[in-house]
């Protein structure tokens, strides 16, 4: 009997055709073939090829969107780390590139590669600082428009605002404007960006109670990493989540909305139980007009301000 010939299966044929197209520099065709394979069997390896094809096609934004599926994997290896860093720089996402560098410091990526990427970013930012002055003035106008809208900032709007602005430019703009920002949805996003960039400088801003406060972003936690936020969610899970999941969902939704617009001026971790109890009483209709301890009155006052802010912003 003759030898049995194993013909490649459909997926293998697709992979071979995609590789051939890529080697022939037919990047659009390679992308289509790899994408067909990706839809059938998504993997980090195929994702890398798709991202590489898009980079060759100069579609940096789409490449970065696609890479989001496996961002943790890109951060684990040198080639992937550098690839995403280069794409962020090519797409003019200098703030995200800075944040990517920060993430790199927390991994096992060799320091020489981190320094290489940091050097490339610094050179591009230096050129942007010199040639992008007109763009920077445009950022001031854009920020003012976002503030005056007094509405949540969409992902698209935020992407447009933060694109082609360097860390020094962003920090300068925040020193100029942060204290005058009134949009309750915009202010937390700006602070969040400063925290992610680990800016070690003091800034003045007005909290949701109308008081001028000072913060140092590097000393703050991100909202989702804050101890009080974690304690509040834990308290909800341990008190009402099991016995009344509908009530727990309602309480959690409102508290999360209030925490989002009050950031970075969050409750203390020790106040978590009192805050959750206050919302539970509201939703159960048990809160009556009577003399309350000072701490409870302060919580009610803060809740009143936060509810009023949200009510006014949806008019």
């Amino acid at each position: 009997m003759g030898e049995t010939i194993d013909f490649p299966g459909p997926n293998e044929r697709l992979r071979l055709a995609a590789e051939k197209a890529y080697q022939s520099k037919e990047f659009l065709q390679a992308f289509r073939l790899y994408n067909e394979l990706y839809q059938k069997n998504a993997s980090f390896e195929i994702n890398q090829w798709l991202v590489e094809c898009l980079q060759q096609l100069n579609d940096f934004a789409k490449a970065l969107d696609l890479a989001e599926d496996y961002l943790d994997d890109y951060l684990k290896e040198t080639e992937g780390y550098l690839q995403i860093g280069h794409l962020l720089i090519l797409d003019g996402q200098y703030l995200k590139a800075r944040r990517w560098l920060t993430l790199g410091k927390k991994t096992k990526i060799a320091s020489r590669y981190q320094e290489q990427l940091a050097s490339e970013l610094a050179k591009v930012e230096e050129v942007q600082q010199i040639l992008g002055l007109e763009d920077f003035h445009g950022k001031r106008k854009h920020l003012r428009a976002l503030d005056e809208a007094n509405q949540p900032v969409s992902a698209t709007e935020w992407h447009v605002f933060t694109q082609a602005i360097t860390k020094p430019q962003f920090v300068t703009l925040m020193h100029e404007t942060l204290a005058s920002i009134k949009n309750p949805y915009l202010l937390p996003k700006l602070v969040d960006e400063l925290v992610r960039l680990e800016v070690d400088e003091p800034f003045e801003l007005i909290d949701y109670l109308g008081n001028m406060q000072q913060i140092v972003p590097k000393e703050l936690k991100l909202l989702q990493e804050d101890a009080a936020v974690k304690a509040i969610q834990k308290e909800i899970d341990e008190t009402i989540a099991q016995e009344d999941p509908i009530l727990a969902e309602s309480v959690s939704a409102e508290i999360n909305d209030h925490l989002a617009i009050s950031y970075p001026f969050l409750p203390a971790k020790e106040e978590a139980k009192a805050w959750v109890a206050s919302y539970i009483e509201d939703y159960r209709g048990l809160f009556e007009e009577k003399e309350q301890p000072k701490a409870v009155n302060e919580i009610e006052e803060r809740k009143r301000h936060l509810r009023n802010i949200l009510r006014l912003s949806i008019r």
Side-chain angles (χ1 to χ4, degrees):
M1 295 178 63
E3 293 184 5
T4 301
I5 300 175
D6 293 326
F7 291 98
N11 288 349
E12 181 64 10
R13 288 199 299 270
L14 263 178
R15 185 184 66 80
L16 291 171
E19 288 181 2
K20 182 178 180 181
Y22 184 87
Q23 294 300 326
S24 301
K25 300 188 183 303
E26 298 174 4
F27 301 119
L28 183 57
Q29 177 66 4
F31 173 81
R32 288 170 178 165
L33 293 169
Y34 275 124
N35 191 49
E36 187 176 345
L37 189 60
Y38 192 67
Q39 298 308 314
K40 293 181 178 181
N41 186 24
S43 69
F44 177 45
E45 181 185 0
I46 302 302
N47 185 280
Q48 287 178 298
W49 279 112
L50 287 169
V51 169
E52 180 64 28
C53 289
L54 289 169
Q55 182 170 346
Q56 294 294 337
L57 292 167
N58 292 328
D59 196 343
F60 310 127
K62 188 174 180 179
L64 288 164
D65 285 342
L66 190 59
E68 287 283 345
D69 292 348
Y70 290 92
L71 211 53
D72 288 341
D73 293 285
Y74 279 98
L75 198 56
K76 292 175 183 176
E77 59 175 49
T78 300
E79 186 178 342
Y81 170 76
L82 292 174
Q83 183 178 25
I84 298 301
H86 291 150
L87 281 168
L88 288 168
I89 294 172
L90 289 169
D91 197 43
Q93 297 188 47
Y94 307 131
L95 298 185
K96 277 193 174 182
R98 284 283 178 183
R99 286 156 51 179
W100 187 249
L101 284 171
T102 300
L103 288 173
K105 295 176 183 177
K106 301 174 183 177
T107 68
K108 296 180 179 180
I109 301 296
S111 59
R112 67 178 181 276
Y113 295 113
Q114 297 180 37
E115 292 167 3
Q116 174 188 327
L117 190 59
S119 177
E120 291 177 22
L121 177 58
K123 291 176 182 176
V124 174
E125 285 186 320
E126 185 177 356
V127 174
Q128 179 67 22
Q129 290 280 119
I130 299 171
L131 303 181
L133 189 58
E134 186 174 342
D135 290 339
F136 182 57
H137 293 321
K139 297 298 181 184
R140 284 197 183 96
K141 294 179 181 178
H142 193 175
L143 182 61
R144 186 161 55 248
L146 291 175
D147 189 31
E148 292 173 352
N150 203 44
Q151 293 293 318
V153 182
S154 70
T156 300
E157 289 175 319
W158 186 251
H159 175 78
V160 172
F161 170 65
T162 55
Q163 192 166 30
I165 184 171
T166 66
K167 178 181 177 180
Q169 288 174 329
F170 184 77
V171 170
T172 297
L173 188 57
M174 291 305 97
H175 277 302
E176 293 176 358
T177 62
L178 203 60
S180 62
I181 297 294
K182 294 182 174 61
N183 184 341
Y185 303 100
L186 176 61
L187 184 61
K189 287 188 74 68
L190 296 171
V191 173
D192 176 90
E193 191 67 46
L194 288 168
V195 174
R196 291 179 186 276
L197 291 170
E198 299 185 337
V199 179
D200 193 16
E201 301 174 24
F203 293 83
E204 291 191 338
L205 64 163
I206 299 174
D207 67 17
Y208 64 92
L209 294 173
N211 302 316
M212 184 66 74
Q213 303 272 12
Q214 188 177 85
I215 63 167
V216 178
K218 191 173 182 179
E219 297 175 358
L220 300 174
K221 294 285 188 181
L222 295 171
L223 176 64
Q224 63 270 26
E225 296 175 359
D226 186 84
V229 174
K230 292 180 179 179
I232 286 172
Q233 188 57 55
K234 181 180 178 183
E235 181 66 16
I236 293 173
D237 292 340
E238 293 179 351
T239 54
I240 56 171
Q242 299 301 319
E243 64 183 70
D244 194 340
I246 294 178
L247 175 61
E249 186 177 345
S250 298
V251 168
S252 183
E254 185 173 26
I255 290 183
N256 286 338
D257 285 345
H258 288 175
L259 292 173
I261 64 171
S262 62
Y263 182 74
F265 306 108
L266 303 169
K269 179 182 178 182
E270 296 73 22
E271 298 175 322
K273 289 182 181 292
W275 273 79
V276 173
S278 176
Y279 283 88
I280 291 174
E281 289 177 340
D282 283 354
Y283 277 86
R284 285 179 169 169
L286 298 177
F287 195 86
E288 300 176 358
E289 288 293 334
K290 57 185 179 182
E291 187 174 346
Q292 298 288 336
K294 182 180 179 182
V296 176
N297 284 332
E298 287 180 356
I299 291 173
E300 289 304 310
E301 179 67 11
R302 289 175 178 270
K303 282 163 52 184
R304 184 182 67 80
H305 274 276
L306 291 166
R307 285 170 172 160
N308 189 49
I309 289 170
L310 290 175
R311 186 176 68 254
L312 291 175
S313 66
I314 61 176
R315 286 183 177 178

